[in-house]
């Protein structure tokens, strides 16, 4: 009788739902989650990135980052369970997996990089959303008064508006309460990505199909008056932008693998989903990066949508989609930070009534009638969002921030940690051919992340020389 309860993958039925969660995900739902997680605002910088690297290095860089991301994701998929990838216990989060396989130093390093990257994404999203709102304002001005009109606009007000909306959303108790916002955000992400590709195609066709750009991009150009050092920093920064566009390892376990059903085992499903998802994403990235470069050449804008003003209604629609997407995406990155801060405070002052008391306010004209909130959460979350908004006003540099985020997280979270966990899980001996291959790939990715980080920091420093605090114009 006992043998009848054993499944073909080596686990009992009771073990499949050992934590009480019902999982109905399939390879197709996981593929959809993968595409949604990977495609984001980073896609807007890909044409500029290809422009810095040229027709030779640009597409190769996109393919290399895709291949590394896919390979690392297959290693991470095997770490969902420990100690065995099929019969072990579940690790429901990225940090749980790190804690199961690696030591406290790696857990601390991973936590620092992960939360720094989450906060950096909040800054990036604030900047990107304000750029889109300013573009809508400028597009309306040009459409009304003509292209010769002075239509400069400041981003401070738009950043404040974006931050205020996030303060309101941050008071919702958990991510389940804003699941609908995540669905809307994913739809908006796909919408502005498709619009961007169509606009680039239209501009390219407008040139009668003539391909703009050069083999080695701005690096090989000697007629634009840009110093060689700046071109080098921009090329490094472009690598960081591409890395940022592919970053999703730190959320793969939570939003994908922990939702799929078994049998077959979760790691088998996830490897297929990552192949389909990253493959689809790479085709899309190559399309918009290369078509955008073919349309604009070496003058491709940092945010590809800022290079278009007509048809104004379509351009405005794309920018509005970006803003709506980032409103939801901001919370996805902010909520884990809120959770860890509030957990620390509760553990330090477990008896404080200020931390635990919940207040209710009656809301007129609503079916629920009441809104509940906690004063400590209201104050702490508001302070963090206000501080993030202020930093965004001081560092409104789209490409440099994107590059720095990609550089800081790609090697540590996408490459080093999954490979280190795989070495421990599979008991790969030091000095073996597989160990040497993994270490060589890790060192290569570390070098790429290092130069990308240097280029992004140099870009920020160079931009700060001509910038005025809280004076943001596009």
């Amino acid at each position: 009788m006992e043998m009848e309860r054993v499944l073909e993958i080596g686990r009992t039925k009771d073990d499949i739902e050992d934590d009480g969660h019902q999982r109905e995900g399939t390879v197709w739902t996981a593929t959809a989650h993968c595409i949604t997680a990977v495609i984001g605002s980073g896609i807007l910088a890909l044409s500029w990135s290809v422009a810095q690297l040229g027709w030779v290095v640009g597409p190769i860089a996109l393919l290399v980052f895709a291949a590394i991301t896919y390979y690392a994701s297959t290693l991470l998929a095997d770490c969902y369970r420990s100690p065995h990838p099929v019969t072990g216990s579940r690790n429901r989060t990225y940090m749980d997996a790190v804690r199961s396989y690696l030591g406290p130093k790696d857990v601390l390093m991973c936590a620092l990089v992960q939360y720094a990257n989450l906060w950096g994404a909040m800054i990036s999203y604030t900047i990107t959303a304000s750029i889109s709102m300013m573009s809508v304002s400028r597009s309306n001005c040009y459409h009304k008064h003509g292209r010769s009109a002075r239509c400069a606009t400041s981003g401070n007000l738009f950043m404040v508006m974006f931050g205020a909306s996030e303060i309101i959303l941050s008071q919702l108790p958990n991510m389940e309460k804003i699941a609908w916002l995540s669905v809307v955000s994913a739809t908006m992400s796909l919408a502005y990505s498709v619009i961007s590709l169509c606009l680039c195609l239209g501009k390219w066709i407008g040139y009668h199909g003539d391909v703009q750009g050069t083999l080695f991009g701005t690096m090989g150009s000697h007629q634009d008056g840009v110093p060689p050092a700046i071109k080098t920093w921009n090329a490094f920064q472009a690598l960081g932008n591409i890395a940022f566009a592919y970053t999703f390892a730190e959320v793969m376990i939570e939003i994908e693998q922990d939702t799929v059903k078994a049998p077959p085992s979760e790691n088998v499903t996830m490897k297929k989903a990552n192949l389909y998802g990253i493959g689809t994403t790479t085709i899309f990235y190559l399309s918009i990066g290369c078509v955008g470069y073919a349309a604009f050449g070496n003058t491709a804008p940092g945010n590809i949508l800022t290079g278009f003003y007509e048809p104004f209604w379509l351009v405005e629609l794309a920018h509005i989609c970006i803003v709506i997407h980032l409103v939801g995406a901001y919370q996805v990155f902010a909520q884990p930070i809120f959770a860890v801060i509030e957990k620390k405070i509760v553990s330090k002052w477990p008896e404080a009534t200020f931390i635990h008391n919940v207040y209710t306010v009656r809301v007129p004209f609503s079916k629920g009638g009441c809104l509940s909130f906690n004063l400590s959460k209201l104050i702490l979350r508001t302070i963090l969002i206000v501080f993030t908004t202020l930093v965004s006003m001081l560092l409104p540099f789209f490409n440099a921030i994107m590059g720095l985020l990609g550089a800081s997280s790609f090697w540590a979270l996408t490459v080093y940690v999954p490979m280190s966990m795989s070495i421990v899980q599979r008991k790969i001996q030091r000095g073996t051919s597989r160990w040497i291959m993994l270490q060589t790939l890790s060192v290569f990715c570390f070098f790429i992340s290092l130069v990308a980080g240097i280029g992004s920091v140099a870009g920020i420093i160079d931009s700060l020389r001509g910038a005025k605090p809280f004076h943001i114009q596009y």
Side-chain angles (χ1 to χ4, degrees), residues 16 61 66 119 185 266 295 301 305 338 340 346-347 352 378 429 453 455 464:
I16 291 178
W119 183 61
S185 298
E266 298 91 350
L305 277 175
F338 297 152
V340 72
V346 169
S347 63
L378 175 64
Q429 297 298 315
L464 283 172

Side-chain angles (χ1 to χ4, degrees), residues 44 191-201 288 304-305 308 318:
L44 302 173
Y192 70 70
S193 299
V194 172
I195 292 173
S196 300
L197 179 57
C198 291
L199 288 171
C200 290
L201 278 170
I288 195 167
I304 192 65
L305 277 175
F308 297 97

Side-chain angles (χ1 to χ4, degrees), residues 49-351:
S49 300
V50 175
Q52 308 314 303
L53 303 172
W55 281 116
V56 175
V57 181
I60 291 176
L62 287 167
L63 291 173
V64 168
F65 275 97
I68 293 172
T69 301
Y70 170 69
Y71 178 67
S73 72
T74 63
L75 300 181
L76 186 58
D78 286 335
C79 297
Y80 173 65
R81 288 180 176 269
S82 60
H84 192 274
V86 176
T87 60
S89 301
R90 285 189 178 90
N91 296 307
R92 297 194 60 200
T93 67
Y94 187 88
M95 287 303 300
D96 287 343
V98 177
R99 194 172 291 108
S100 297
Y101 285 103
L102 303 180
K105 290 184 178 180
D106 290 298
V107 172
L108 177 61
M109 181 275 291
C110 184
L112 290 175
V113 174
Q114 184 176 16
Y115 287 109
N117 189 61
L118 291 173
W119 183 61
M122 294 164 62
I123 295 174
S124 172
Y125 287 177
T126 303
I127 296 169
T128 309
S130 69
I131 291 174
S132 289
M133 288 187 276
M134 284 187 285
S135 296
V136 170
S137 174
R138 187 167 54 182
S139 177
N140 281 328
C141 175
Y142 284 147
H143 184 69
K144 185 176 181 179
H145 302 290
R147 291 295 302 274
S148 60
R150 295 188 60 185
C151 294
T153 180
S154 173
N156 286 332
L157 175 61
F158 294 116
M159 286 194 181
V160 171
M161 291 170 58
F162 184 80
S165 69
E166 297 303 336
I167 290 175
I168 295 172
L169 288 174
S170 71
Q171 301 312 308
L172 294 171
N174 51 52
M175 287 303 296
E176 284 75 15
K177 297 294 184 180
I178 54 175
W180 59 270
L181 188 58
S182 296
V183 174
V184 172
S185 298
T187 304
M188 295 299 102
S189 174
L190 182 61
Y192 70 70
S193 299
V194 172
I195 292 173
S196 300
L197 179 57
C198 291
L199 288 171
C200 290
L201 278 170
K203 188 176 180 66
W204 182 28
I205 294 172
Y207 283 132
H208 306 290
D210 292 339
V211 176
Q212 307 296 304
T214 58
L215 289 178
F216 299 101
T218 58
M219 282 289 294
S221 176
H222 303 285
Q223 299 176 349
D224 50 14
V226 179
I230 299 299
K231 294 179 181 179
T232 302
W233 300 140
N234 286 345
F236 291 166
Q237 186 178 310
L239 295 175
N241 287 347
I242 295 173
F244 178 80
Y246 278 108
T247 299
F248 85 114
E250 60 266 39
V251 296
M252 188 192 87
I253 290 178
E254 288 93 325
I255 71 169
E256 295 179 61
Q257 194 157 357
D258 197 47
T259 66
V260 300
K261 62 183 178 181
S265 57
E266 298 91 350
N267 62 333
V268 171
T269 301
M270 278 311 305
K271 288 175 182 179
K272 289 182 180 179
N274 287 338
L275 176 62
Y276 301 153
I278 296 175
T280 302
T281 300
T282 301
I283 293 172
F284 203 78
Y285 280 2
L286 281 169
S287 299
I288 195 167
C290 295
V291 172
Y293 185 41
F296 287 94
N298 291 344
T299 61
N303 180 332
I304 192 65
L305 277 175
T306 60
F308 297 97
Y309 301 105
E310 297 291 344
F312 83 98
W313 63 270
L314 186 60
V315 175
E316 289 190 7
L317 176 62
H319 283 297
I320 292 171
C321 288
I322 291 175
V323 175
I324 297 174
H325 166 235
L326 296 181
V327 165
Y330 186 103
Q331 287 300 314
V332 172
F333 287 86
Q335 289 288 338
I337 299 179
F338 297 152
V340 72
I341 293 175
E342 290 160 6
K343 183 179 180 180
K344 291 290 185 183
I345 291 175
V346 169
S347 63
K348 189 173 182 62
W349 295 287
E351 304 297 330

